[in-house]
Each structure stands twice: as structure tokens, then as C-alpha cells.
Amino acid sequence: MEVCRKSTILGLNVSIDYGDHMKVYLDDERTAPEGWKRVYWPEEAIELLQSGEVEEISLDHDLGDDTLGTGYDVVVWIEEQVIVNRFKPPKILVHSANSSARIKMEMGISNIYANAVRDLRST
């Protein structure tokens, strides 16, 4: 099934085509909303992102064991993939209660979308 999602990114209307899609919910404690695939660790979220089938991802920051990573690690991975490999980012949400980490993650997400828009303009 082909999915064409229209979004407003940094004030620009853009369309990003996806194949089969899923919604991913990264959290160690909260139950995922209906229709979302719950994962517990950044590595699991990144593996699903690599499949190219993630349309939307919602991230918690604190996952219980920082040695295994945080939600911010997923933001950093997406940002690198957008810049280096022209990865099409999914819609990214943050549901973390950690206010300072939320701000850091949202700044990274803004950079992701800025680079994605730049890539769309150059094609």
C-alpha cells in the first residue's frame, strides 16, 4: 500500500511518499496507544526506522537504563541519516516528561526537518 503524507514542515507544504507504514512508540513504562508498535530501546526503534516503513514515531527520553540509550539517540540517528543518506524522516513526536531532554530532542527534530526540506528543495 502506498501512502502519501502531506505535512507542513517549517512553513512549507511537502509530500513524502511511504510504502507500508507503521507508528512506533518508544517507551519503557507507558502503554502504546492503539495502533502503535511499542518498543523499549533505541536499537529497536532504529531497526524499524531502517525498514523504511515508519510513518510516525513518538519518543520518550528516559528509558530506564541510559547505558542502553535514550530517545535522544534515536533523534541523533535520524538526523545523521537525513544529512548523510537523504533519509525521509517520519513524523517525530516527543512524549517525554523530562523537560530539559524534551527541549534538546525538539531542537534536534527541528534540525532534521530543516535538512529534509533543504533536500526536497534541491531535488
Side-chain angles (χ1 to χ4, degrees):
M1 176 175 92
E2 287 297 311
V3 176
C4 182
R5 182 168 45 89
K6 294 186 178 186
S7 298
T8 301
I9 300 173
L10 298 176
L12 299 171
N13 291 320
V14 296
S15 296
I16 300 176
D17 293 321
Y18 293 86
D20 290 335
H21 63 283
M22 74 175 82
K23 295 179 179 183
V24 176
Y25 194 80
L26 175 63
D27 202 297
D28 63 319
E29 294 181 354
R30 296 175 194 89
T31 302
E34 187 174 333
W36 291 69
K37 178 173 180 59
R38 182 180 178 190
V39 296
Y40 296 84
W41 303 111
E43 181 179 302
E44 296 171 295
I46 290 168
E47 184 176 318
L48 292 172
L49 287 162
Q50 288 172 327
S51 76
E53 297 178 359
V54 177
E55 178 183 16
E56 194 167 344
I57 189 165
S58 186
L59 305 169
D60 186 18
H61 181 272
D62 302 323
L63 301 171
D65 185 349
D66 287 353
T67 63
L68 295 176
T70 68
Y72 182 68
D73 295 319
V74 178
V75 172
V76 170
W77 183 87
I78 295 170
E79 184 175 19
E80 178 181 353
Q81 294 307 306
V82 166
I83 293 168
V84 174
N85 296 317
R86 301 186 92 170
F87 177 75
K88 292 186 285 188
K91 180 177 181 181
I92 307 166
L93 307 170
V94 178
H95 63 263
S96 180
N98 180 331
S99 60
S100 61
R102 171 187 286 277
I103 292 167
K104 182 170 79 168
M105 292 169 74
E106 289 174 346
M107 288 174 49
I109 292 165
S110 293
N111 194 43
I112 287 166
Y113 290 141
N115 281 289
V117 167
R118 191 172 308 125
D119 284 348
L120 288 171
R121 286 181 175 167
S122 67
T123 56

